[in-house]
Each structure stands twice: as structure tokens, then as C-alpha cells.
Amino acid sequence: LLGTWDGDGVERWNPRESNVLQLLISIQGLVLVSEPYYNEAGYEKQLGTKEGAHNSMQYNEATLLLVLQHMMVTIQAPPPGLERRVARHFSARRDQILRRCKGMLKELEASEPGAKEGAACELDTPDEDRVMGEGQAGDQGCGWVDRSVADKASRGFLRSLQRMQPRLRKALPVPGPGPGPTRS
């Protein structure tokens, strides 16, 4: 439907038969899931393997970094006609976005030399907002931070997020007085 790979029959967009509902259901079921990696053609075979867990985690981490980068680009150059809406949206969500990043970076601090071994770090956001991963506690072979399974993130991802955070903080509009949100 999205033209990202060759499919058969109803898997391909047909202007005479396909519709927006079909597109939205495909995005919901294939993209907006905790581990979209396994929905890529051929990768479902890795489900339940250590290699699959590692690849899925890297996929999610790379996706989150790209979303944050795209967020900054959208803020700096919003689509024409949507400038005010984009500014209001990111202004209203600024603290939530920064809190999520800060929560993930606490993992990095807990994993640095001199940090208390096995120190717990809870994110400031609900479970569904966490970057999820698989693997075994203490599995340092893939670069995981020694955390519980649900809180794992690679050190490379956390360091990239750490480098991006100042730019993100600067790009996100600061909430201020102004007209309330408009209705769509």
C-alpha cells in the first residue's frame, strides 16, 4: 500500500479499490507497534532469536532518533499554512518530549563507570512510551546497558540522544501566551 516493497493483490495500492481506511489500518498494524522490525519482509523469521531482538532494538532506536531529527526539521521549516499549528503542537508537548529524553538518558548515567551496579532508572513516562527491547539482563555483548529487559537501550543510542538533546531543547518552542489551539 505504501509502495515500500512489492506486494501482491490487496497489498498494493489500487486507486480504484484502495482507500484511506485501508492505508491507516496498515500503518496501525504494521508500523505503530512495539516491534515493527518483524513486520519487514523476511524479518519475521528472526522473532524469538537473540539476533532478532538485537536487530529490532537497533531498528527502534534508529527510528526514534530519526523521528526526533524530523521533528526538529518540521519545527524549523513547517509545511506552508501549518506554521502556527506546528508551533503550538510542539510548544504544548515540549516538556513531555524533553522529559522522555531525560528519562532515557538516566540509563546512560546509571551505566557509566562509578555508577552503582544495577542501579534502577525509571522513565518519567508510561510504559507504552518506553523504547522496548529483548535480551537477557547483563547481556553486554550487544552493547546493552545492564538494565531490566523493558528498560534496555544501547549505549550508542543513548550517546546519540545525549548529543542531540541540546539541539532538540533549542528547537522546541517554549510555551508562552498566545491564542489557544485551533480545531481541525
Side-chain angles (χ1 to χ4, degrees):
L1 284 179
L2 302 176
T4 57
W5 66 286
D6 292 328
D8 298 317
V10 297
E11 296 173 334
R12 298 180 67 133
W13 181 263
N14 179 337
R16 284 174 282 182
E17 296 177 18
S18 300
N19 58 55
V20 173
L21 177 60
Q22 187 179 9
L23 178 68
L24 294 174
I25 289 173
S26 292
I27 291 171
Q28 181 182 19
L30 298 173
V31 179
L32 301 178
V33 295
S34 63
E35 295 189 284
Y37 172 81
Y38 297 114
N39 291 328
E40 293 286 348
Y43 294 163
E44 70 280 353
K45 294 178 230 164
Q46 294 181 10
L47 187 61
T49 68
K50 195 171 187 172
E51 177 186 18
H54 175 73
N55 292 340
S56 178
M57 188 68 207
Q58 285 188 322
Y59 186 96
N60 283 357
E61 291 174 349
T63 300
L64 181 56
L65 293 173
L66 288 171
V67 164
L68 292 172
Q69 288 172 352
H70 183 69
M71 190 184 322
M72 290 186 288
V73 168
T74 302
I75 291 166
Q76 293 166 357
L82 297 176
E83 296 88 347
R84 288 182 52 202
R85 187 173 299 272
V86 167
R88 279 193 303 265
H89 171 79
F90 286 111
S91 175
R93 286 161 181 76
R94 182 181 201 276
D95 291 342
Q96 180 184 2
I97 293 165
L98 293 174
R99 212 174 23 253
R100 179 175 179 201
C101 291
K102 182 180 177 181
M104 286 185 272
L105 290 173
K106 284 182 183 177
E107 286 191 34
L108 180 62
E109 293 169 11
S111 71
E112 291 298 298
K116 192 173 182 180
E117 188 172 332
C121 168
E122 293 299 320
L123 297 180
D124 297 335
T125 57
D127 288 346
E128 64 267 18
D129 288 339
R130 294 183 185 193
V131 176
M132 303 297 282
E134 299 286 337
Q136 302 298 317
D139 180 6
Q140 298 297 318
C142 296
W144 303 126
V145 176
D146 187 14
R147 310 282 310 118
S148 68
V149 173
D151 291 341
K152 288 187 185 249
S154 71
R155 284 194 175 110
F157 163 75
L158 293 170
R159 292 198 191 288
S160 294
L161 181 60
Q162 186 178 44
R163 285 190 301 272
M164 184 184 291
Q165 191 181 27
R167 292 191 324 265
L168 182 61
R169 184 177 300 281
K170 184 177 179 182
L172 286 167
V174 176
T182 60
R183 293 184 173 206
S184 304

